[in-house]
Amino acid sequence: MATTDIDKLLLRPTPFGSESGALAVGEFDPGNDTREFLTETCKVLVVGAGGLGCEVLKDLALSGFRDVEVIDMDTIDVSNLNRQFLFRQKDVGRPKAEVAAEFIRERVPQCNVIAHVGKVQDKDADFYSRFNVVCSGLDNVEARRWLNAMLVGLAEVDDEGNVIDPSQIIPMVDGGTEGFRGQARVIIPRFTSCFECSLDSFPPQRTYPLCTIAETPRLPEHCISYAQLVEWPKTNQRAIDTDSPDDMKWLFDVASKRASKFNIEGVTYMKTMGVVKNIIPAVASTNAVVSAMCVNEVFKLMSLSSQTLNTYHMYMGSTGIYSHTFCYGKKNDCPVCSSCVRTVTCSATKTLGELVSDLTEEPLKLKAPSLATADATLYLRKPKSLEAATRPNLDKPLSALVANNAEITVTDPVFPGDVALTLRVCFAQNGAA
């Protein structure tokens, strides 16, 4: 989109600006100042350079944004080429972020795209605080939780829950696709619901019982999981490299032989990669539609030229061109965007290890929690010396470690280091729970 095209949106008054009820803070001010901010000053971070990320980068560049950075940890695989259109055969094996940035710079020279190769967790708060808006195209729930917590944490609040410095608010537009379905979501830290608020709406990751995999396989996925979980460790002394064609070919061959033994059809190289890498089915047209939804929200958030999405936009392409929007409400006990203390009622004989296990299940779904009180460290995952020193506490009853109504601070790798959950432990009077 040429500059003259966005001039029609940025230089003229509009009846669709930030009216009462809009999520954006402020009012639309048509003129050169708004245009210059959008095209010269506004810094956009794109997280993920896969199918959705490629489309987002293209749309941003053609929508007038000139200062864009992209972060992605993956390298290009042959299977990416059918839908991640910024990549070519010659790019296989190279980092996605670097190739995507080069392509955009070459096609749209006015747009300066800087690439970062690595995980989102590798960057600190100073890195993320440089941006005006973040557009996420991740397919990894854990990374999205971490990024969400980082951006919410940057918007510090006072004791009454009011944001201290509005300039610290960095909106995130989160997009996702699966087959012919997709969604775009606007998250304004401390004002709207955050990604963590909707965690319980995600289906659990599909797994298969090991007994079924080993004894009575019935699906191609069972054969592939057997090759991955049983046969690979027997033959290899290292972890599977999911980006290695040799490793994927080995798993495919082993899974094919097992499928033949049990007369199971459907084991293919693509399905093998899908099971091992937990690949979500992707359709190029869905990526294009959802990317347009996401970049449209980025444009509105940064220019205030129209009311922003409140807060969810779902696209269902399998039954025609159909979509709907709805507001995802904030959870009062969200561990990221609420300041409440969660109360856990349990038996005094419940062990610390049982509490740790509970924290990894619904509704919190933590990964590897560490726990401490104001006076003592109950269990710490790292470093190894402290893990070994605090491990005996896992077998002790909570009543031997903390007093009734004591508050426990919980940290976990799914959140940045300065984000913590506070639990108040209440012992049940009757010894139950």
Side-chain angles (χ1 to χ4, degrees):
M1 181 184 291
T3 304
T4 53
D5 294 320
I6 64 171
D7 284 352
K8 297 177 182 179
L9 300 174
L10 300 179
L11 302 184
R12 303 185 303 182
T14 171
F16 304 110
S18 300
E19 302 171 355
S20 176
L23 293 179
V25 179
E27 296 293 331
F28 176 56
D29 183 19
N32 285 323
D33 288 346
T34 299
R35 173 184 165 187
E36 289 178 5
F37 169 75
L38 200 75
T39 60
E40 305 296 335
T41 306
C42 180
K43 294 181 67 68
V44 184
L45 175 65
V46 177
V47 184
L52 185 57
C54 284
E55 291 280 354
V56 166
L57 286 168
K58 177 260 294 181
D59 287 347
L60 287 171
L62 297 178
S63 297
F65 293 94
R66 297 291 176 256
D67 193 349
V68 179
E69 299 186 26
V70 56
I71 182 170
D72 193 294
M73 65 176 289
D74 288 338
T75 56
I76 299 167
D77 185 81
V78 173
S79 63
N80 302 145
L81 302 182
N82 71 328
R83 65 192 181 280
Q84 298 176 19
F85 69 99
L86 300 184
F87 311 140
R88 301 293 183 266
Q89 182 72 39
K90 63 182 176 61
D91 301 319
V92 171
R94 293 190 60 199
K96 289 183 178 181
E98 290 182 358
V99 176
E102 291 172 4
F103 192 103
I104 296 296
R105 289 197 300 264
E106 181 178 352
R107 186 62 63 89
V108 187
Q110 308 95 316
C111 184
N112 181 37
V113 183
I114 298 174
H116 303 274
V117 179
K119 299 179 180 180
V120 294
Q121 295 92 332
D122 294 339
K123 301 297 184 179
D124 58 16
D126 290 338
F127 172 81
Y128 290 103
S129 64
R130 297 188 295 111
F131 297 96
N132 298 101
V133 62
V134 173
C135 190
S136 169
L138 291 167
D139 58 5
N140 183 305
V141 172
E142 183 177 325
R144 291 160 82 184
R145 293 179 70 184
W146 189 95
L147 178 62
N148 169 78
M150 168 60 77
L151 297 180
V152 172
L154 289 175
E156 298 180 3
V157 295
D158 57 24
D159 294 339
E160 297 179 355
N162 300 312
V163 176
I164 298 173
D165 182 2
S167 67
Q168 295 177 330
I169 300 173
I170 303 174
M172 178 170 75
V173 180
D174 179 68
T177 65
E178 182 176 355
F180 290 99
R181 298 178 299 174
Q183 54 85 20
R185 179 178 184 179
V186 171
I187 297 172
I188 301 180
R190 306 296 184 184
F191 285 87
T192 70
S193 58
C194 73
F195 184 82
E196 194 75 16
C197 291
S198 60
L199 190 62
D200 53 5
S201 67
F202 285 82
Q205 184 172 331
R206 189 172 184 180
T207 58
Y208 305 100
L210 189 59
C211 58
T212 300
I213 293 172
E215 303 296 337
T216 57
R218 299 182 299 278
L219 301 172
E221 290 85 351
H222 294 162
C223 301
I224 296 167
S225 295
Y226 180 84
Q228 176 188 7
L229 302 176
V230 179
E231 291 298 331
W232 179 272
K234 291 181 181 178
T235 311
N236 301 274
Q237 301 300 316
R238 59 178 178 83
I240 298 171
D241 181 358
T242 57
D243 291 321
S244 167
D246 292 337
D247 287 6
M248 292 297 103
K249 180 65 164 54
W250 189 96
L251 291 173
F252 167 64
D253 290 341
V254 173
S256 296
K257 292 178 182 178
R258 184 164 180 81
S260 177
K261 177 181 177 180
F262 287 90
N263 296 317
I264 297 173
E265 298 181 353
V267 173
T268 64
Y269 183 80
M270 290 297 296
K271 182 174 284 291
T272 300
M273 288 201 302
V275 172
V276 175
K277 301 178 71 171
N278 194 30
I279 295 175
I280 298 173
V283 175
S285 58
T286 308
N287 287 333
V289 170
V290 173
S291 167
M293 291 157 52
C294 291
V295 175
N296 190 39
E297 293 306 319
V298 171
F299 188 94
K300 291 190 294 183
L301 282 164
M302 293 297 98
S303 67
L304 305 180
S305 57
S306 185
Q307 297 181 55
T308 56
L309 176 66
N310 184 18
T311 53
Y312 229 97
H313 189 171
M314 295 294 300
Y315 167 72
M316 282 75 90
S318 58
T319 55
I321 303 175
Y322 168 70
S323 66
H324 74 277
T325 64
F326 63 94
C327 178
Y328 211 109
K330 296 181 69 173
K331 289 184 67 174
N332 293 330
D333 59 351
C334 174
V336 172
C337 68
S338 75
S339 57
C340 75
V341 176
R342 280 177 172 263
T343 298
V344 176
T345 302
C346 61
S347 166
T349 59
K350 188 185 190 78
T351 66
L352 180 65
E354 290 172 334
L355 176 61
V356 169
S357 179
D358 290 345
L359 295 176
T360 63
E361 304 294 334
E362 298 279 358
L364 293 175
K365 299 182 182 179
L366 301 185
K367 184 179 180 181
S370 296
L371 300 88
T373 65
D375 302 319
T377 299
L378 302 180
Y379 180 62
L380 198 62
R381 299 278 180 171
K382 294 181 179 180
K384 289 185 178 181
S385 58
L386 285 179
E387 195 282 331
T390 56
R391 192 184 309 151
N393 287 342
L394 294 175
D395 297 325
K396 296 179 181 179
L398 287 170
S399 58
L401 299 170
V402 298
N404 190 26
N405 290 320
E407 292 188 356
I408 298 176
T409 300
V410 182
T411 56
D412 193 88
V414 299
F415 303 137
D418 56 349
V419 175
L421 168 69
T422 302
L423 299 178
R424 178 178 291 113
V425 178
C426 297
F427 298 134
Q429 296 297 319
N430 59 4

